[in-house]
Amino acid sequence: MSSANRLLPILPQGSARLIREVVDFALASVCAGCGAPGTALCAECEATLAPRVVPVRTGDVPGCAGLAFDGVAATALRAIKEDGQTSLIRPLRPALAAAVTALCSGSGRVLPVDVVVPVPTSRAAFRHRGFRLPELLARGIGVPMQRALLPARRLADQRLLGVQARRTNLAGAFVANRDGGGASAVLVDDVITTGSTCGEAARALRAAGFSVVGAVAVAATPRRR
């Protein structure tokens, strides 16, 4: 856990996040992309994060990711999730914005979006990291965010499972905590792998009365392309 994360239990969430980002930036000794010393992300690596939208399918839910999950995009996301380098979220925001634009205008007309809903983070991941990455990403989209989904039960580690096993593991995994009332919603995640997580999240939202426009993520794994 980074030095900044140790401050989280005694600080408000917003202050803790700001301090974490400042400390991460100050202590960053190498570029998350290429390992060049003295910067969290060098200009050359940041340039490779220019959006290249990847269409994805998550069950019956249309989706878009701003980048493929490889190269600098993959190492930056791992640095955020594994090392707490949340300062790297900023250079990834254009990719997520491009994914939202592509999703909502892909039919030839602009689809309205009332709310964005982050895919829930497991309790274990939140305890380890001190933040919920999909939620931090969703807050930067410019559309009202609702934390409308909660984990319904504990899940096995998705990273260890194949496509069908992921679907089985996720069945009934999420529950909505409010009535959607017909509001149009876009799901937000950091990475789309098989699409099973977003598909289950969409099911839970629809069951609560939301109209699900689709799902977006910063990146999608090559298999989802």
Side-chain angles (χ1 to χ4, degrees), residues 28-32 34-42:
S29 58
V30 296
C31 169
C34 67
T39 179
L41 190 69
C42 72

Side-chain angles (χ1 to χ4, degrees), residues 3-193:
S3 299
N5 281 345
R6 288 195 288 271
L7 296 170
L8 291 175
I10 59 174
L11 291 172
Q13 184 179 26
S15 299
R17 185 165 64 248
L18 176 60
I19 289 176
R20 184 195 304 114
E21 292 185 2
V22 171
V23 173
D24 286 341
F25 180 81
L27 297 181
S29 58
V30 296
C31 169
C34 67
T39 179
L41 190 69
C42 72
E44 290 79 5
C45 286
E46 184 168 352
T48 70
L49 298 178
R52 299 180 302 280
V53 174
V54 179
V56 297
R57 175 62 62 171
T58 56
D60 61 348
V61 181
C64 287
L67 295 162
F69 185 70
D70 55 23
V72 177
T75 57
L77 282 164
R78 291 189 187 107
I80 295 169
K81 297 170 76 170
E82 297 172 9
D83 301 325
Q85 287 187 245
T86 53
S87 59
L88 293 171
I89 292 175
R90 179 197 57 78
L92 292 171
R93 287 201 185 282
L96 185 64
V100 174
T101 299
L103 174 72
C104 295
S105 61
S107 63
R109 61 187 181 89
V110 178
L111 300 175
V113 179
D114 296 318
V115 296
V116 291
V117 178
V119 171
T121 299
S122 72
R123 294 180 179 91
F126 178 65
R127 286 194 301 269
H128 174 70
R129 296 172 188 155
F131 60 89
R132 300 176 178 90
L133 181 52
E135 185 173 318
L136 295 184
L137 292 168
R139 290 186 184 279
I141 288 177
V143 176
M145 189 206 77
Q146 287 187 3
R147 194 189 294 170
L149 290 172
L150 297 172
R153 56 180 175 78
R154 189 171 181 176
L155 302 176
D157 190 338
Q158 290 283 97
R159 293 171 299 179
L160 306 177
L161 305 177
V163 176
Q164 187 55 49
R166 283 175 182 244
R167 291 174 183 158
T168 301
N169 184 47
L170 284 162
F174 305 130
V175 61
N177 60 8
R178 66 195 70 192
D179 182 0
S184 58
V186 168
L187 285 158
V188 180
D189 207 351
D190 52 312
V191 179
I192 293 177
T193 305

